[in-house]
Amino acid sequence: MNGMEAAAIAAASVAAGAINAVVGSGTLITFPTLVACGFPPVLANVTNNIGLVPGVLSAAYGYRRELRGQLRRLLRFGAASLIGGLTGAVLLLQLDSSAFDTVVPVLILAACVLVLLQPRLNAWLKRREQRGGEDGGVPMWCGVLGTGVYGGYFGAAQGVILMGLFGSFLRDDLQRLNAAKNVLAAIVNGAAAVVFVAVADVDWAAAAVIAAGSTLGGLIGARVGRRLPAVVLRAVIVVVGVTAATFMIVG
């Protein structure tokens, strides 16, 4: 990793941290940047996951006021996120790397579709704010578990998936749900990171750059991200994601 590559990764990490706080698709910025810098896909994914953990933690901290009164919810769904994140990380390391190379372009494109659908999802969430249940029961818990498995394996747009689940099963303010989303994403990434640190190869220099950038970005996103033009954020995410998926398919 030379100076220019480090600068590119740092810039992508700040953007990813802010995007994760607001939208939840920062991996679609940092992962393609690492691949473009010559990182093998699995190494890029592992390094990216570890580096983004401080960023999602800072985003959760930035939403601390909206987290008040949600301890029971976070404990319940946090257990599912923890199990799911550990499971997804183990799957990533146990499956052949060629399987990851094959499935990731599909996951990236699917994540891009979810990002494009975010405005409709938010509108749907607002309409259902007064009609959901308290915790969604077993279906909601299983949905969070499945999202955790996906997040531990790759993770792009896991926040979008969580918000979709919240809109289907829960009744609460949108910003409070977004705060809970950030905590659950932090649990998933953190659980996967523990596995990766223990048994996987990590580029620690790149992970440190991502950690610093995403931490700054997470604080920025939590503070001012709601004022940024959402359409611009989505456009950047989709362009980067589609480009990355195309290069991976062609390459």
Side-chain angles (χ1 to χ4, degrees):
M1 184 176 63
N2 58 39
M4 290 189 64
E5 290 171 343
I9 292 170
S13 302
V14 174
I19 288 167
N20 274 339
V22 181
V23 182
S25 310
T27 291
L28 290 179
I29 303 294
T30 45
F31 176 79
T33 302
L34 289 171
V35 172
C37 290
F39 287 74
V42 173
L43 176 61
N45 188 46
V46 168
T47 301
N48 180 64
N49 179 286
I50 292 173
L52 287 179
V53 170
V56 289
L57 287 173
S58 69
Y61 176 78
Y63 276 86
R64 60 193 179 279
R65 285 180 297 180
E66 287 84 356
L67 289 172
R68 292 172 183 165
Q70 297 199 69
L71 179 60
R72 180 183 175 191
R73 173 183 291 166
L74 294 176
L75 290 175
R76 174 177 169 78
F77 296 137
S81 294
L82 177 63
I83 296 169
L86 292 172
T87 303
V90 170
L91 287 175
L92 175 68
L93 299 178
Q94 290 298 315
L95 295 177
D96 190 89
S97 61
S98 61
F100 182 80
D101 297 345
T102 300
V103 74
V104 160
V106 178
L107 294 177
I108 290 176
L109 292 175
C112 288
V113 171
L114 286 172
V115 171
L116 284 173
L117 293 176
Q118 182 76 17
R120 292 181 179 273
L121 178 61
N122 285 344
W124 181 48
L125 256 171
K126 288 181 179 179
R127 289 197 302 269
R128 292 184 59 90
E129 274 181 7
Q130 303 304 318
R131 288 186 281 162
E134 286 298 320
D135 63 7
V138 174
M140 178 66 189
W141 197 91
C142 291
V144 174
L145 174 65
T147 304
V149 174
Y150 167 76
Y153 185 80
F154 182 54
Q158 67 167 312
V160 179
I161 298 172
L162 283 171
M163 291 301 285
L165 287 169
F166 289 163
S168 299
F169 294 103
L170 301 183
R171 180 181 69 249
D172 208 336
D173 176 73
L174 186 60
Q175 292 298 341
R176 281 170 53 82
L177 293 177
N178 196 45
K181 174 265 292 181
N182 285 334
V183 173
L184 296 183
I187 292 173
V188 170
N189 283 19
V194 169
V195 176
F196 296 151
V197 168
V199 299
D201 292 328
V202 182
D203 189 305
W204 288 106
V209 172
I210 295 171
S214 66
T215 300
L216 175 61
L219 292 172
I220 293 172
R223 180 177 291 271
V224 302
R226 301 178 190 127
R227 305 173 195 170
L228 297 176
V231 65
V232 174
L233 287 176
R234 279 191 292 274
V236 171
I237 293 168
V238 171
V239 168
V240 172
V242 170
T243 301
T246 302
F247 273 110
M248 291 189 72
I249 293 171
V250 173

